[in-house]
Amino acid sequence: MAAPMNCIRRATLSLKNYFPSARKVFQRNLNCNTASITRAHRLTYARLYPTVLVLPDGSSINIRYHEPRKIITLPVDTSSLSEEELKRRMEKRKPKKKIKIEEDISDDFDVNKYVQYIKKS
């Protein structure tokens, strides 16, 4: 009787060796990146990502970048700009002033004109 049980055990062990992933069918790979809100912060990324590179003259190039970025803008060399172009760019950098609009509301509403439309109960 011990011989048939020994054969069953050998068959079970050999099936586990041939199909090692059969035990992990319902196992989920849960880690900190499964439900992340922002990108995974890594020092090196495994692949290259499509990114738009904007050159200082305004032209753009599609490149492959090692971090997941949508767009990269290169800075403009201010020493090569003309005086008026430099002034215009510096004005764009300054914070915009808020305009306060003060309205003079004249109250010339006369209640006596509309007394006839009010329902009396």
Side-chain angles (χ1 to χ4, degrees):
M1 195 89 169
M5 288 299 282
N6 205 4
C7 291
I8 293 172
R9 280 191 198 128
R10 280 190 204 145
T12 310
L13 289 174
S14 65
L15 283 175
K16 286 182 182 177
N17 290 338
Y18 287 116
F19 303 106
S21 63
R23 291 177 278 165
K24 299 180 182 180
V25 171
F26 296 107
Q27 181 183 3
R28 290 186 61 195
N29 187 14
L30 298 175
N31 58 19
C32 63
N33 297 328
T34 304
S36 63
I37 296 172
T38 62
R39 66 180 175 88
H41 299 282
R42 297 184 183 129
L43 294 177
T44 57
Y45 290 88
R47 58 175 286 227
L48 297 176
Y49 300 91
T51 306
V52 176
L53 177 68
V54 180
L55 299 176
D57 63 349
S59 61
S60 62
I61 304 170
N62 293 327
I63 62 167
R64 309 284 294 171
Y65 195 63
H66 66 277
E67 290 185 11
R69 303 264 186 243
K70 192 72 176 171
I71 188 168
I72 299 173
T73 307
L74 294 179
V76 178
D77 184 21
T78 55
S79 63
S80 66
L81 295 176
S82 65
E83 191 67 34
E84 58 190 37
E85 181 69 26
L86 180 63
K87 189 175 181 180
R88 190 170 63 209
R89 284 187 179 266
M90 295 307 278
E91 286 293 324
K92 282 185 180 179
R93 287 185 181 184
K94 291 182 181 177
K96 295 183 180 179
K97 296 178 183 176
K98 292 184 179 179
I99 301 172
K100 292 184 179 179
I101 301 173
E102 296 181 14
E103 295 183 15
D104 185 27
I105 301 173
S106 61
D107 189 15
D108 59 348
F109 180 72
D110 187 17
V111 180
N112 295 328
K113 287 184 180 179
Y114 301 100
V115 170
Q116 60 189 353
Y117 300 116
I118 298 175
K119 291 183 179 180
K120 295 180 182 179
S121 52

